[in-house]
Amino acid sequence: MKGRTLSRHFRESFKSLGRNGWMTFASISAVAVTLLLVGSFIVMMMNLNKMADNIENDVEIKVVADPGASSEAVKELQNKVKEIDGVASVNYATREDELDKIIKSYGKELSLYKQSNPLGDALYVKAENPHDTAAIAKKIDTYEYTADVVYGAGKVEKLFDVVEISRNVGLILILALLFTAMFLISNTIRLTIIARGREIEIMKLVGATNNFVRIPFILEGVWLGIFGSILPMAAIAIAYQQIYAYWQPKLVNEMFQLLDPIPFIIQVDGLLLFMGVFIGVWGSLMSVRKFLKV
């Protein structure tokens, strides 16, 4: 395509936006509102997914060694646990460490037990895949010198099920919002093009090629997507930074942490811009197609 023709298409696409002011405003508003809803939901679901990941990754197995086992026996047990497929880490805690944790949690009056510590050494085991926790725990429970294996049997499986269901529901809702956005925006753009159907038919009758007619509308879709994305991009960036600054200091538990604004905001805004342009172009292509069959 010649530079002069392309320049003409750019000029015409901008002029068309001005000539059809109300329809342009309606299209940009439709893009802005739907992308704001989609973007807000994406921000919420991404943070919930991060918290779900943190909860899953925090699941660990506590292996209590037999109080009568020697340090060599506990070391042997630790080495055997490390060799299990799917084990990510094994941290060793002495019986003194375990007693100190209990004293710290329940009060100094329990420090009397320091003279005769009834606890055994412990191993804290994490799986590479949190969903393998139960299987690894059952295997460890068969080893010698193991007094108890604790990982929240029953509760952990239910936790994983709830997390998985919430992720799937979130994904379905995001996809539903995206399809709704594409439907609403494409219909709004279609109304804009239908109002100019006569203009397109005249261009075709005087010999304009399909591409010559199509390209200005594609460019209009690009501008509508870009202009419609600006408001939701700015709103989400400002709102999320304020939410992060207010809530992050209050979330002392590491499992419930928000995603850092940078690069998260850049990624979300980039996605919104892409969706706006894609939906604008797609809506223009689908809408102008029927008028090219003259």
Side-chain angles (χ1 to χ4, degrees), residues 169-183:
V169 170
L171 179 60
I172 291 171
L173 289 175
I174 287 175
L175 291 176
L177 276 173
L178 284 175
F179 281 115
T180 302
M182 291 177 70
F183 175 77

Side-chain angles (χ1 to χ4, degrees), residues 265-284:
I265 290 176
I266 296 174
Q267 293 168 347
V268 173
D269 280 355
L271 180 61
L272 291 179
L273 180 61
F274 171 78
M275 287 192 297
V277 172
F278 174 80
I279 294 172
V281 171
W282 181 81
S284 296

Side-chain angles (χ1 to χ4, degrees), residues 45-54 255 257-259:
M45 289 308 305
M46 291 294 289
N47 277 283
L48 289 177
N49 276 338
K50 179 182 185 298
M51 293 178 186
D53 288 340
N54 290 341
M255 288 191 296
Q257 297 292 304
L258 299 176
L259 288 162

Side-chain angles (χ1 to χ4, degrees), residues 14-249:
F14 275 112
K15 287 180 182 178
S16 179
L17 292 178
R19 283 197 302 265
N20 301 276
W22 281 109
M23 293 306 297
T24 297
F25 175 77
S27 298
I28 291 175
S29 298
V31 173
V33 171
T34 50
L35 287 185
L36 184 60
L37 290 174
V38 171
S40 300
F41 202 79
I42 288 174
V43 167
M44 182 177 66
M45 289 308 305
M46 291 294 289
N47 277 283
L48 289 177
N49 276 338
K50 179 182 185 298
M51 293 178 186
D53 288 340
N54 290 341
I55 291 171
E56 283 188 340
N57 293 329
D58 195 59
V59 173
E60 64 181 3
I61 305 164
K62 180 180 179 181
V63 183
V64 181
D66 191 327
S70 64
S71 57
E72 291 77 14
V74 175
K75 187 68 177 179
E76 180 184 341
L77 175 62
Q78 182 179 3
N79 291 333
K80 289 176 69 176
V81 172
K82 285 181 179 179
E83 293 172 0
I84 299 175
D85 289 337
V87 169
S89 65
V90 181
N91 294 317
Y92 170 71
T94 65
R95 63 189 66 195
E96 288 77 17
D97 293 334
E98 291 297 290
L99 182 57
D100 287 340
K101 287 181 184 177
I102 293 176
I103 292 172
K104 185 176 180 180
S105 299
Y106 296 102
K108 293 184 178 180
E109 58 271 12
L110 295 177
S111 59
L112 295 173
Y113 286 101
K114 280 183 174 286
Q115 298 175 7
S116 179
N117 189 344
L119 303 176
D121 296 338
L123 302 176
Y124 290 89
V125 184
K126 283 196 174 185
E128 292 176 356
N129 183 349
H131 292 268
D132 295 334
T133 300
I136 292 173
K138 290 176 183 177
K139 188 168 185 178
I140 295 173
D141 201 25
T142 64
Y143 290 167
E144 192 178 3
Y145 307 119
T146 299
D148 194 13
V149 177
V150 182
Y151 70 96
K155 295 180 181 179
V156 168
E157 289 84 354
K158 290 180 180 178
L159 171 65
F160 290 156
D161 289 342
V162 170
V163 168
E164 192 64 27
I165 291 171
S166 65
R167 282 175 176 157
N168 292 334
V169 170
L171 179 60
I172 291 171
L173 289 175
I174 287 175
L175 291 176
L177 276 173
L178 284 175
F179 281 115
T180 302
M182 291 177 70
F183 175 77
L184 290 174
I185 294 169
S186 64
N187 275 341
T188 306
I189 294 174
R190 183 174 300 172
L191 291 174
T192 304
I193 295 175
I194 288 174
R196 297 160 59 191
R198 183 68 176 169
E199 174 188 339
I200 296 172
E201 291 175 0
I202 292 173
M203 291 173 67
K204 287 289 294 179
L205 290 172
V206 298
T209 64
N210 285 346
N211 280 338
F212 190 87
V213 176
R214 185 185 292 120
I215 290 175
F217 287 102
I218 293 175
L219 290 174
E220 281 188 49
V222 172
W223 308 138
L224 291 174
I226 291 174
F227 296 146
S229 302
I230 291 174
L231 179 60
M233 288 167 62
I236 287 174
I238 294 170
Y240 186 74
Q241 289 189 48
Q242 291 180 342
I243 291 171
Y244 184 89
Y246 179 80
W247 281 108
Q248 188 64 16

